[in-house]
Amino acid sequence: MTSGHETARDVMSTGAECIGAHETLDRAAQMMRSHGVGALPVCGPDERVTGIITDRDIVVKCVAAGHDPSQVTAGELATGLVWVSADTSVEEALARMEEHRIKRLPVMDGDRIVGMISEADLAKHLPDNQLAEFVHRVYGGS
């Protein structure tokens, strides 16, 4: 287990950059490549996070479906937003990720995104047995 006092802010990666909902998926893919990430938060015109888009979303829901990534916007593909506040405990963040079977979790401070928790972040902060349990629940569907 973690120390019990760690928060989402303690384990998240900082610098999560939003892509505008109006931007195209080819631009989203370029941003992912340049930042070395597999997901981006999607923001509306007011800079509020409205969803998240993953590299897998682009491949499966756009390219494999025969759509042109230069013609589909991030907002069209963004999935519902599951998030935690920066002060949420790591245990609660894990529970949220397991409940929704997601591998990336935006961390918010008020209306602003301040980071993202990914499997890589969890691997750095969790003991092996807790990480294995998380992977089993998210991928195994138990």
Side-chain angles (χ1 to χ4, degrees):
M1 284 302 258
T2 60
S3 69
H5 302 293
E6 285 186 303
T7 64
R9 188 183 305 275
D10 296 325
V11 300
M12 71 183 191
S13 293
T14 58
E17 190 172 325
C18 273
I19 185 163
H22 66 283
E23 296 275 2
T24 59
L25 296 182
D26 57 346
R27 176 72 185 122
Q30 292 162 2
M31 284 179 68
M32 288 178 193
R33 181 185 63 206
S34 69
H35 293 294
V37 298
L40 292 171
V42 178
C43 293
D46 58 0
E47 293 299 312
R48 288 183 181 228
V49 178
T50 60
I52 191 169
I53 188 166
T54 68
D55 47 7
R56 188 171 193 280
D57 291 335
I58 295 171
V59 171
V60 174
K61 296 177 182 173
C62 178
V63 176
H67 302 294
D68 181 350
S70 69
Q71 300 298 314
V72 179
T73 66
E76 291 175 71
L77 230 61
T79 55
L81 185 61
V82 177
W83 57 274
V84 292
S85 73
D87 298 325
T88 300
S89 72
V90 172
E91 287 75 16
E92 175 61 28
L94 276 173
R96 182 81 49 92
M97 293 171 82
E98 290 172 3
E99 174 188 352
H100 294 278
R101 296 185 67 182
I102 56 176
K103 300 167 195 118
R104 298 169 183 99
L105 184 66
V107 179
M108 307 290 285
D109 188 355
D111 291 338
R112 283 187 38 248
I113 185 159
V114 293
M116 187 89 74
I117 297 175
S118 69
E119 290 171 290
D121 298 317
L122 296 175
K124 290 179 208 168
H125 290 87
L126 297 179
D128 289 347
N129 62 332
Q130 195 175 6
L131 182 62
E133 185 66 23
F134 167 79
V135 170
H136 175 74
R137 288 189 177 149
V138 170
Y139 290 94
S142 63

